[in-house]
Amino acid sequence: MCGPDPDQIYVQKLRNSLAEMTMVKDAAIRQEDFILADQTRQKIAALQTQLVKMEHQLNADILINAISAWQIGLAESLGAHLGNLAGFRKARFIAFSRTHT
């Protein structure tokens, strides 16, 4: 089994950074340092945008992997059924040839 997905680790780091930045912004507001609070708010907005983008990408990757696994299973199943059908037709042809010669 492989380790944690690097994208999931990155998303968790973004969440942690957002939590830390929110604490910094709240502390700046309490200290009436509105310049720092505004700068931090802008950084938070950028991090939130990045986080949403990464979460959407992870969700898309999960869906793609699930659909790919389903398609592979379907292809294998169809291949097995078609192989069985081809074998059945061949056996019927051989049986028919033997009875009509």
Side-chain angles (χ1 to χ4, degrees):
M1 177 130 195
C2 56
D5 181 25
D7 289 338
Q8 290 176 338
I9 292 171
Y10 182 68
V11 165
Q12 187 57 48
K13 286 182 179 182
L14 281 174
R15 287 183 183 136
N16 293 343
S17 293
L18 278 169
E20 291 171 11
M21 292 292 232
T22 300
M23 289 189 303
V24 168
K25 183 188 76 159
D26 292 344
I29 291 171
R30 281 192 303 275
Q31 295 171 3
E32 298 182 3
D33 187 348
F34 300 114
I35 293 173
L36 177 60
D38 188 53
Q39 290 171 344
T40 307
R41 180 194 57 77
Q42 291 173 9
K43 289 178 184 177
I44 289 171
L47 285 174
Q48 286 173 330
T49 301
Q50 195 172 5
L51 177 61
V52 167
K53 182 180 175 184
M54 286 300 300
E55 286 176 332
H56 286 180
Q57 184 61 48
L58 281 174
N59 289 338
D61 290 347
I62 290 168
L63 284 173
I64 288 169
N65 288 339
I67 290 170
S68 294
W70 175 80
Q71 287 176 328
I72 290 168
L74 178 62
E76 290 171 347
S77 175
L78 286 173
H81 287 316
L82 290 174
N84 290 341
L85 182 60
F88 174 74
R89 284 186 177 166
K90 185 177 179 182
R92 270 187 47 199
F93 177 74
I94 292 171
F96 179 78
S97 328
R98 288 183 182 162
T99 59
H100 290 82
T101 55

